[in-house]
Amino acid sequence: MLEQRVARLESDLSEVKAMLKDIGKELIEIKIGVTKLDGKFEKIDGRFVGLEGRLGGLDTRISGLPATWTILGIVFTTWALGSGILIFAMNFLKR
């Protein structure tokens, strides 16, 4: 009876050792994959630095754009000038 238990424990232990070897191999593969990813992240970091340089002056460009009220003022002014010119021309041609 004791010999059977020892035999079962030895077989279980050999299975555990085999599993640990497999896990070790998988960990090595994962480490290789992570190393490859680190290289890719360094490339992405370089791209972000370039992107930050390009977007550096964007806030000043946007603040330089005319506001909504400025655009509406220009539109209404041109409409008023156009209407005034039409009214003047119609009164001038009436005579």
Side-chain angles (χ1 to χ4, degrees):
M1 185 146 167
L2 182 61
E3 293 175 1
Q4 291 174 349
R5 288 184 177 178
V6 171
R8 266 192 270 150
L9 283 174
E10 287 177 349
S11 68
D12 289 344
L13 185 61
S14 64
E15 288 178 16
V16 169
K17 284 182 180 180
M19 286 180 185
L20 286 175
K21 284 181 184 179
D22 291 339
I23 290 173
K25 290 177 185 176
E26 289 177 11
L27 285 176
I28 291 171
E29 291 175 5
I30 290 172
K31 185 177 178 183
I32 292 170
V34 167
T35 306
K36 289 179 182 177
L37 283 178
D38 283 342
K40 290 182 181 180
F41 282 129
E42 288 174 5
K43 292 178 184 176
I44 291 173
D45 286 342
R47 288 183 180 177
F48 280 132
V49 169
L51 188 61
E52 287 173 0
R54 289 183 183 176
L55 296 178
L58 189 63
D59 57 342
T60 55
R61 291 182 197 165
I62 290 176
S63 65
L65 292 174
T68 304
W69 291 111
T70 306
I71 293 172
L72 288 176
I74 292 170
V75 168
F76 289 134
T77 302
T78 53
W79 283 352
L81 286 173
S83 299
I85 291 170
L86 281 175
I87 291 171
F88 175 78
M90 291 172 74
N91 284 333
F92 184 74
L93 291 175
K94 229 183 201 185
R95 295 181 184 168

